[in-house]
Amino acid sequence: MCRLTAIILLLRPLEVWWIAPFVLIGAGLSLIFPAAAKRPLLWWSVAALIALHIAAIWPLSDNHIYLLAYWCLGIGLALASEDPPATLARSGRWLLGAAFAFAVLWKGVLSPDYLDGRFFRVTLIEDDRFADAVMLVSGLTPQDLVANRKSLEPLPAGAELSDPPPLKEPRRFRALVAALTWGGIVLEGFVAVAFLSPKPALLEHARHIALLAFCVFTYALAPVAGFGWVIATMGLAQLRRDQGMMRVAYLSVFFLILLYAEIPWAGLLDSWVRPLSP
Amino acid sequence: MAASNAAALPAVILGIVASGQVLLAKLDGLSPWKGGGFGMFSTTDDAGRRAVRIFVTAPGRSEELSIPPSLADIAERAAVHPSDRQLARLARRVVERERRAARDVSEVRLECSRIVYAAGTLSASTVPTRVFTYRTDAPR
């Protein structure tokens, strides 16, 4: 776990220039010197530096930076305990359950525009990072997206157009919105329950499969590889020595997320498929 | 420290921070996407749909300033969390910048807004969320 976490720290360095070098040095040391990776102080220091980063640029840090800080603290605490693997597994399980529980709380209860589909309808049209996947799945063209974005340009408060330009939302687009909205909250809710359940043995395989499925589907679209790497590493930390296949699955997903982040797969696929469509 | 306590501590801290984020988002205008509460991908109320406009006033002068690159970071922080502290910080930086350029400032007014989409039609409108006034002659 220490090495994978160090790789995460190296793959996405922190943004604050006077903190990042110390985190990179800590991550580098833990990769080069296995003995250093076993020192709780190294991980507590990294956790403290990440916390300092969060404070330095408050409130702009993304949520996975917080999760990374908690995880590094957990590694340090586990290394200082009598049974590091068991302590780290428990720590990861509770962190995963809590993070997903708060994500579900926001989506299902606190946000006014998630369950009615507004969030994904707007995001899939406006966020250019989703454009390739949206065109691939929904059949919208680049021109459709441009026209839809124009329709979503804001008016001053109280103003209303007499003849607003219509949004083009074909059936496949609506289906994609529904799948992302409801699939997202159901899967996240299941992950939260499965990892927080006091009887985890009953859900042992199901929770791993749910977390792996979440990573495979979510990070194919969502441009936040850092979050995916952290939760995949936490999932991996739950495994016993005899769960070799699941270990391979988590490591594969870790690298799949890296490939998602580096290869514009949806754009390539769309450029191959679109000429074939009627 | 007992193993179970050691394992629980990070999740307890997560719970405290995330609960605080919920309160800040609901009571103090923090964007749900930020602050460690895991509200990302749950709402259109993100940093990209929030804005702060800057107006400066002085004798013989009243104008809106575009946000210069040197203030972009601090303006983004103020948009994401338009608290008194963040807004006062932005206003002070505006005053410092104006005075360095030998331009008089007696008041800085910051207007915060966000884009809201109507249910169903997705008709978008800019909704003011807060107006903050900073007077340079006010006692601190």
Side-chain angles (χ1 to χ4, degrees):
Chain A
M1 289 333 105
C2 298
R3 277 182 294 171
L4 270 187
T5 306
I7 289 170
I8 296 170
L9 293 166
L10 292 171
L11 281 172
R12 292 285 187 274
L14 299 179
E15 295 151 33
V16 178
W17 67 268
W18 50 272
I19 297 174
F22 299 105
V23 174
L24 292 174
I25 288 168
L29 286 175
S30 71
L31 276 179
I32 297 165
F33 304 108
K38 303 288 180 199
R39 301 269 183 187
L41 186 60
L42 183 141
W43 293 102
W44 289 333
S45 303
V46 171
L49 286 164
I50 299 173
L52 185 61
H53 172 274
I54 290 167
I57 63 166
W58 168 264
L60 301 182
S61 288
D62 288 333
N63 288 293
H64 69 273
I65 303 295
Y66 292 78
L67 199 56
L68 192 55
Y70 305 139
W71 180 236
C72 290
L73 173 65
I75 293 174
L77 291 168
L79 290 172
S81 72
E82 287 176 5
D83 186 353
T87 306
L88 190 59
R90 269 202 297 273
S91 194
R93 185 162 72 79
W94 289 336
L95 280 173
L96 279 167
F100 276 81
F102 273 98
V104 170
L105 177 70
W106 268 110
K107 289 182 173 74
V109 180
L110 299 173
S111 291
D113 56 355
Y114 182 83
L115 289 180
D116 65 8
R118 256 181 296 173
F119 169 69
F120 273 116
R121 285 175 70 200
V122 170
T123 301
L124 294 183
I125 290 170
E126 286 209 323
D127 192 332
D128 207 38
R129 297 171 300 180
F130 292 94
D132 287 338
V134 170
M135 289 188 290
L136 176 68
V137 177
S138 73
L140 287 171
T141 64
Q143 294 75 23
D144 295 331
L145 275 183
V146 169
N148 278 350
R149 285 173 188 169
K150 184 95 181 137
S151 299
L152 291 186
E153 283 177 5
L155 302 168
E160 206 171 305
L161 290 177
S162 58
D163 186 18
L167 276 173
K168 188 169 181 184
E169 296 179 283
R171 204 157 49 90
R172 278 158 59 193
F173 179 85
R174 291 287 194 157
L176 178 62
V177 167
L180 291 174
T181 300
W182 291 102
I185 194 168
V186 167
L187 191 53
E188 287 181 25
F190 183 80
V191 170
V193 169
F195 278 89
L196 288 177
S197 165
K199 298 279 185 195
L202 292 175
L203 296 161
E204 174 131 22
H205 286 294
R207 65 189 163 127
H208 288 305
I209 289 166
L211 185 60
L212 288 165
F214 177 84
C215 291
V216 168
F217 291 117
T218 302
Y219 300 105
L221 294 175
V224 277
F227 206 104
W229 290 326
V230 177
I231 63 175
T233 305
M234 288 177 175
L236 188 60
Q238 317 292 308
L239 300 178
R240 297 185 311 270
R241 285 182 183 278
D242 61 345
Q243 292 177 292
M245 285 304 290
M246 204 62 94
R247 193 173 298 276
V248 171
Y250 271 113
L251 287 172
S252 303
V253 161
F254 189 96
F255 286 100
L256 180 65
I257 294 169
L258 180 60
L259 296 179
Y260 281 152
E262 301 302 327
I263 299 171
W265 68 270
L268 291 172
L269 208 53
D270 186 50
S271 65
W272 293 334
V273 168
R274 192 168 289 277
L276 304 177
S277 58
Chain B
M1 188 184 290
S4 59
N5 290 345
L9 184 60
V12 168
I13 297 173
L14 182 155
I16 293 168
V17 171
S19 300
Q21 186 265 3
V22 171
L23 291 176
L24 284 177
K26 289 296 173 188
L27 303 176
D28 204 30
L30 174 66
S31 166
W33 280 65
K34 300 293 185 182
F38 302 96
M40 66 287 183
F41 294 99
S42 72
T43 173
T44 55
D45 184 12
D46 60 8
R49 295 183 180 88
R50 288 177 168 218
V52 178
R53 294 173 71 186
I54 303 171
F55 299 86
V56 293
T57 309
R61 178 185 187 208
S62 179
E63 62 182 303
E64 180 176 0
L65 300 183
S66 58
I67 297 172
S70 62
L71 295 183
D73 174 73
I74 197 166
E76 186 184 2
R77 295 183 199 209
V80 169
H81 186 200
S83 61
D84 284 353
R85 189 170 169 215
Q86 295 287 353
L87 293 168
R89 196 164 159 227
L90 173 59
R92 281 196 299 273
R93 293 283 298 276
V94 170
V95 172
E96 288 166 13
R97 187 172 183 277
E98 290 300 289
R99 288 185 174 161
R100 272 201 306 275
R103 293 189 286 262
D104 195 16
V105 184
S106 57
E107 183 181 287
V108 177
R109 195 173 80 254
L110 304 173
E111 293 186 3
C112 307
S113 63
R114 56 172 286 225
I115 299 172
V116 173
Y117 301 90
T121 64
L122 292 191
S123 166
S125 53
T126 302
V127 175
T129 51
R130 187 165 183 202
V131 176
F132 179 84
T133 303
Y134 180 92
R135 288 198 58 82
T136 55
D137 58 2
R140 310 261 170 239

